[in-house]
Amino acid sequence: MKIKNRLISAVSGLSMAATLLPINANAQKNPDIESKINALMGKMSLDEKVGQTAEMAIDIIGNWQGDEFVVDQAKLQKVIGQYKVGSILNAPGKALTPQNWYKVISAIQELSMKTMGIPCVYGLDQNHGTTYTLGGTIFPQNINMAASFNRDLVHKAAEVTAYETRAANCPWTYSPTVDLSRDPRWPRMWENYGEDCFLSAEMCRAAVMGFQGTDKNNIGSRHVAVSLKHYLGYGSPRTGKDRTPAYIPEFEIREKHLAPFKAGVEAGALSVMVNSASVNGVPVHMSKHYLTDVLKKELGFDGVVVTDWADINNLYTREMVAKDKKDAIIKAINAGIDMTMEPYDLTYCTLLKEAVNEGKVPMARLDDAVRRVLRMKFRLGLFDTPNTKMKDYPKFGAKEYAQLSEDAAVETQVLLKNEENILPLKQGLKILVTGPNANTMRPLDGGWTYTWQGDADNFAQSKNTIFEALQQRFGKNNVIYEPGVTYKMSGKYWEENTPEIEKAVQAAAQADIILACVGENSYCETPGNLNDLALSDNQRNLVRALAKTGKKIVLILNLGRPRIIADIEPLASAVVNTLIPGEHGADALARLLAGDDNFSARLPYTYPRYSAALTTYDYRVSEESGTMEGAYDYNALIDVQWPFGYSKSYTTFSYGDLKTDKTDFGLNDNITVSIDVTNTGKREGKVSVLLFSRDQHASLVPEVRRLRAFTKINLKPGETQTVSQTIKARDLAFVGTDDMWHLEEGKFMLQIEDKIAWINCTQDYTWK
């Protein structure tokens, strides 16, 4: 029996909940703040101005004494008192308690206010929760949050992270990461929101508003400043390796790679961090075109442009575009850098001062950089309240936050295969849990968790591994653990111990079903580079050997990027991709495998079938062609393991006719698309309704399809909802090789699942 027609709407892809948020992020500069900046600038010495553009690492001001990091007052006096440094960052190798953070940051603030009357701004990589503060809440990584296709989930997680970060006296986070992950070889794929620019832009907007609130001029003590990273084109390196050059057509940069940053700027982001590498031969750290002309002028960004770690140095040590450090500083500052993450060399201040005195960096450029840094500090309220105290944040580490993280992990793991409905697992089954990811927290949490490389096993002993979570849910006597393959935890992320596959095979004799937990150990940035996209030989051999036992296999993937599994996927009756679900990810997985909850996530990237056949879902139509007759017999058919947006569920959904409110449209029109979605199964379930478009003909080879809107709904068995999504006609445009936007006369196909509607643009439009 159908429960008919509860209307769910989305405007330009925004959920109803998101559209209700009061947005004041694009407000003009606050006159009162600007007046205070003017007054302060008139009193500042050149040393103080230079110091405001410098950011140093915490290691330079203190050291560990037992279990506590302690500020060395003599070192602090040199950094703050002598060099007037305006910002400190990072954790000293590992996470601190909130109390330790308060001691460290308040000591910095006390001297900074006493010396200059200007507060320091401290920054941490709280990249997927309160990752550098012990006792805080760890959420699934960004790639998981993208898989949820749920903006509200991203917003709530960012709010909690901001609250807990301020509880530890830190006002700034280097998050969200919004590079487009267009190459599965890239080791930072999991830090981002997937391969699609619209999905990334929507999640970026939700995250910024969760972190900062709705008024960029008044961030408040429950929110933190964000840093959008890494501007621009970082996620598409030609080699697939971290911090290596990208070569991207300008039209693709403007149309796709810029989109998430544009969304973040429009949402009020207070800072932007720069791509470590080069784009089209020019290091972004010295690109006046991207930093000043595009970001600051075209997008109207009035916040701080900060370098990534030591990247001004790389202009002369790696990129070879500057003759020495001073030359590198001049090029970067003049290009538009406002704050330099040095992080250890105080001669930066001396060299920049020399460059200003010599006229090689104009005073106007330095003043602009300083104004931006001061503006962020005023917007954060640091002049009035340099410190925030733990006692004012009683919900730090609250159980409800942990529950939110677990619920998020439920909503971000993807069911990819389920033959003969082998899942949910039946109660009473004897389960063998095997594989290197079965009994360790590291791959569940991933990098940027407690330490840079994610050494979670030393910090998250109270949380459940997959094996432990399954024992709790299915009973200790029903769950057997024999790994067969294990990681060498003291080695590099890809190193494994000598396999003991036969032990796992023998253990399988006692089991009714096998859960093979395979994937990657934790890694971060350049140490996560790889030379082979295939899953390791040991892990694939483990699955092959287990398949010979005749027992059914459920493949549990736990990885930061899609590793090739084409040879072992047919051996599994079911496949679940957990991605990197965080500290509560194993508990969430147990809920899903038991059927307590339903799968609802979708793949946020294209999962390749072959190492030499890498693509994204929005490839251009001419990339897929049949066999050519005659002498040139070639085949360019696109063949992937699973496409972007793919998912399965414990229930089924059907879709009615796709309807539009108009068949002809012009540039300034909005197009409303509606469709009835029905739960035709026997279980309640959530589903993300994805709206794609395709330009039938264009002056630039069109893409096969582009995501234009998404709305997540929950349906009870037999329930029908009408989902209505509104897109702007101008969003169907593309950037041409002339760097202009083009919306051209002709037909466009709109598609949701297998339902199609056609609309027609009545004339050509071109604009800057």
Side-chain angles (χ1 to χ4, degrees):
M1 181 178 181
K2 290 187 177 180
I3 307 168
K4 179 65 175 170
N5 281 351
R6 180 154 56 93
L7 180 65
I8 301 293
S9 298
V11 179
S12 297
L14 282 172
S15 67
M16 291 182 71
T19 59
L20 293 176
L21 291 169
I23 299 175
N24 190 33
N26 273 325
Q28 298 296 317
K29 299 185 187 77
N30 183 289
D32 183 52
I33 289 178
E34 297 307 306
S35 177
K36 291 177 180 178
I37 294 172
N38 289 338
L40 186 55
M41 291 281 290
K43 301 175 184 177
M44 292 175 69
S45 67
L46 179 56
D47 286 335
E48 289 173 333
K49 289 182 177 180
V50 166
Q52 286 301 302
T53 73
E55 184 174 42
M56 299 289 162
I58 186 175
D59 313 74
I60 203 173
I61 63 165
N63 48 67
W64 284 94
Q65 295 182 12
D67 293 332
E68 184 175 7
F69 186 84
V70 178
V71 172
D72 183 314
Q73 288 297 325
K75 293 179 179 178
L76 183 63
Q77 176 63 39
K78 182 178 181 181
V79 172
I80 301 292
Q82 180 180 346
Y83 284 93
K84 319 296 184 185
V85 168
S87 181
I88 306 292
L89 84 150
N90 208 23
K94 61 183 180 180
L96 306 183
T97 65
Q99 295 79 10
N100 199 169
W101 275 126
Y102 179 80
K103 287 182 181 179
V104 169
I105 297 174
S106 62
I108 296 168
Q109 295 290 40
E110 181 180 0
L111 184 59
S112 189
M113 294 299 289
K114 179 180 178 180
T115 302
M116 297 178 284
I118 300 173
C120 176
V121 59
Y122 203 100
L124 281 175
D125 287 289
Q126 308 278 52
N127 284 348
H128 66 115
T130 317
T131 51
Y132 273 128
T133 308
L134 296 175
T137 306
I138 305 294
F139 286 97
Q141 293 280 1
N142 281 355
I143 197 67
N144 285 72
M145 302 303 272
S148 75
F149 282 82
N150 187 336
R151 301 170 184 81
D152 295 338
L153 197 61
V154 173
H155 184 272
K156 289 175 183 176
E159 279 189 318
V160 170
T161 303
Y163 176 91
E164 292 187 339
T165 300
R166 288 308 287 268
N169 202 19
C170 179
W172 189 18
T173 181
Y174 307 113
S175 187
T177 308
V178 294
D179 311 302
L180 295 188
S181 298
R182 307 281 287 180
D183 190 323
R185 300 172 299 170
W186 190 46
R188 307 193 72 166
M189 187 173 191
W190 48 269
E191 295 184 50
N192 300 274
Y193 295 114
E195 69 183 43
D196 177 65
C197 63
F198 178 75
L199 175 61
S200 297
E202 292 294 287
M203 295 313 197
C204 176
R205 182 182 290 107
V208 170
M209 295 180 68
F211 280 123
Q212 290 192 175
T214 58
D215 184 354
K216 70 178 182 181
N217 285 314
N218 183 20
I219 297 301
S221 61
R222 296 296 186 269
H223 292 93
V224 295
V226 303
S227 187
L228 309 177
K229 63 186 189 185
H230 307 84
Y231 180 87
L232 180 72
Y234 189 32
S236 296
R238 177 178 286 180
T239 66
K241 291 181 167 58
D242 188 38
R243 286 177 164 84
T244 58
Y247 300 92
I248 311 169
E250 182 71 11
F251 65 81
E252 187 170 317
I253 288 176
R254 285 186 167 272
E255 184 176 334
K256 295 181 180 179
H257 294 268
L258 189 61
F261 294 95
K262 180 176 183 291
V265 169
E266 290 173 348
L270 294 197
S271 70
V272 170
M273 186 183 292
V274 182
N275 175 359
S276 295
S278 62
V279 173
N280 299 331
V282 179
V284 184
H285 278 76
M286 57 168 280
S287 172
K288 185 175 183 294
H289 170 64
Y290 289 129
L291 299 182
T292 298
D293 297 341
V294 175
L295 179 60
K296 293 182 176 180
K297 293 181 179 178
E298 289 188 29
L299 298 188
F301 177 64
D302 64 5
V304 176
V305 176
V306 60
T307 76
D308 205 341
W309 189 270
D311 275 335
I312 281 186
N313 294 335
N314 288 331
L315 295 180
Y316 73 97
T317 61
R318 186 187 69 198
E319 306 292 351
M320 311 307 290
V321 294
K323 61 184 179 182
D324 53 28
K325 183 162 186 168
K326 185 174 179 180
D327 188 37
I329 292 169
I330 292 168
K331 284 181 165 65
I333 299 296
N334 285 339
I337 293 295
D338 302 311
M339 181 183 285
T340 299
M341 192 183 290
E342 179 46 42
Y344 298 117
D345 186 4
L346 287 164
T347 62
Y348 162 84
C349 297
T350 303
L351 295 172
L352 177 55
K353 182 179 178 180
E354 289 177 4
V356 173
N357 284 329
E358 294 165 1
K360 294 177 180 177
V361 172
M363 182 60 76
R365 171 75 273 270
L366 177 63
D367 283 349
D368 174 61
V370 175
R371 293 181 69 87
R372 290 170 178 270
V373 174
L374 296 177
R375 186 177 295 124
M376 181 166 72
K377 294 179 178 182
F378 275 114
R379 285 170 164 171
L380 283 165
L382 296 180
F383 282 86
D384 296 326
T385 310
N387 298 295
T388 47
K389 300 178 180 178
M390 184 72 176
K391 66 179 180 63
D392 296 325
Y393 300 83
K395 293 176 69 175
F396 177 89
K399 290 183 179 179
E400 66 184 86
Y401 293 164
Q403 189 63 54
L404 176 63
S405 176
E406 185 177 321
D407 291 344
V410 166
E411 203 165 327
T412 64
Q413 301 184 49
V414 190
L415 179 63
L416 296 171
K417 183 178 181 180
N418 192 20
E419 291 181 345
E420 300 176 358
N421 294 319
I422 191 173
L423 299 178
L425 296 174
K426 295 179 177 62
Q427 293 296 320
L429 288 176
K430 292 285 186 179
I431 304 168
L432 170 63
V433 182
T434 185
N437 295 58
N439 198 28
T440 170
M441 290 302 301
R442 279 185 58 174
L444 291 172
D445 273 338
W448 296 122
T449 312
Y450 301 113
T451 70
W452 179 37
Q453 295 298 312
D455 193 11
D457 284 335
N458 291 329
F459 296 90
Q461 295 95 336
S462 64
K463 305 302 190 297
N464 286 327
T465 65
I466 294 174
F467 166 59
E468 292 165 344
L470 291 175
Q471 275 196 320
Q472 286 189 8
R473 181 60 186 79
F474 293 96
K476 287 188 177 181
N477 293 332
N478 291 327
V479 182
I480 308 161
Y481 170 62
E482 185 59 58
V485 177
T486 55
Y487 295 118
K488 187 180 291 184
M489 292 301 185
S490 61
K492 295 175 176 153
Y493 84 94
W494 47 264
E495 291 184 310
E496 296 167 349
N497 296 309
T498 301
E500 298 178 315
I501 293 174
E502 189 55 36
K503 286 186 177 181
V505 171
Q506 292 172 2
Q510 308 169 48
D512 300 309
I513 195 167
I514 300 167
L515 265 62
C517 305
V518 299
E520 298 180 309
N521 202 358
S522 66
Y523 56 85
C524 193
E525 299 191 67
T526 303
N529 284 343
L530 52 64
N531 291 318
D532 187 351
L533 197 54
L535 195 66
S536 77
D537 288 341
N538 287 339
Q539 295 186 51
R540 286 160 41 234
N541 287 337
L542 172 65
V543 174
R544 291 191 192 102
L546 291 169
K548 292 178 181 178
T549 67
K551 301 294 175 72
K552 297 286 188 181
I553 295 175
V554 177
L555 204 58
I556 306 294
L557 306 177
N558 173 205
L559 30 69
R561 57 197 156 192
R563 304 297 291 267
I564 304 300
I565 57 168
D567 56 339
I568 61 171
E569 176 272 326
L571 306 178
S573 298
V575 180
V576 175
N577 190 354
T578 70
L579 305 167
I580 308 182
E583 282 189 349
H584 304 281
D587 297 314
L589 177 64
R591 286 166 56 181
L592 289 163
L593 294 178
D596 301 335
D597 294 270
N598 202 343
F599 286 93
S600 67
R602 290 179 179 266
L603 270 183
Y605 52 66
T606 302
Y607 202 116
R609 188 183 299 274
Y610 308 111
S611 290
L614 307 181
T615 188
T616 55
Y617 88 97
D618 52 351
Y619 61 88
R620 299 190 181 272
V621 294
S622 54
E623 295 177 47
E624 181 176 50
S625 62
T627 302
M628 178 180 286
E629 295 181 2
Y632 299 99
D633 184 13
Y634 65 84
N635 194 311
L637 291 175
I638 301 298
D639 187 8
V640 301
Q641 191 76 52
W642 293 287
F644 171 86
Y646 185 82
S647 67
K648 297 185 77 66
S649 169
Y650 290 150
T651 191
T652 54
F653 302 95
S654 68
Y655 296 81
D657 292 337
L658 191 62
K659 301 175 182 177
T660 63
D661 67 340
K662 56 180 64 67
T663 55
D664 294 329
F665 67 91
L667 177 64
N668 296 317
D669 286 333
N670 291 331
I671 302 154
T672 299
V673 183
S674 60
I675 194 168
D676 286 350
V677 185
T678 302
N679 184 341
T680 54
K682 297 179 180 180
R683 292 187 54 124
E684 185 173 353
K686 294 179 180 179
V687 61
S688 295
V689 182
L690 310 187
L691 173 63
F692 294 93
S693 75
R694 174 171 173 173
D695 193 343
Q696 191 66 6
H697 298 94
S699 57
L700 194 68
V701 178
E703 293 145 325
V704 170
R705 60 178 183 160
R706 286 285 296 276
L707 182 67
R708 300 302 185 185
F710 59 87
T711 307
K712 194 160 195 175
I713 60 175
N714 186 75
L715 292 173
K716 296 177 181 178
E719 182 180 5
T720 296
Q721 290 183 14
T722 300
V723 176
S724 180
Q725 299 172 314
T726 300
I727 58 176
K728 296 177 181 179
R730 63 175 56 239
D731 289 343
L732 298 174
F734 63 89
V735 177
T737 55
D738 57 0
D739 297 337
M740 303 288 283
W741 285 89
H742 297 267
L743 180 61
E744 296 178 341
E745 180 182 2
K747 291 182 178 181
F748 288 79
M749 183 180 73
L750 301 178
Q751 183 173 13
I752 294 176
E753 296 298 321
D754 61 344
K755 304 301 180 181
I756 291 172
W758 292 92
I759 54 176
N760 181 62
C761 181
T762 56
Q763 67 181 87
D764 291 341
Y765 302 91
T766 302
W767 67 94
K768 180 67 175 175

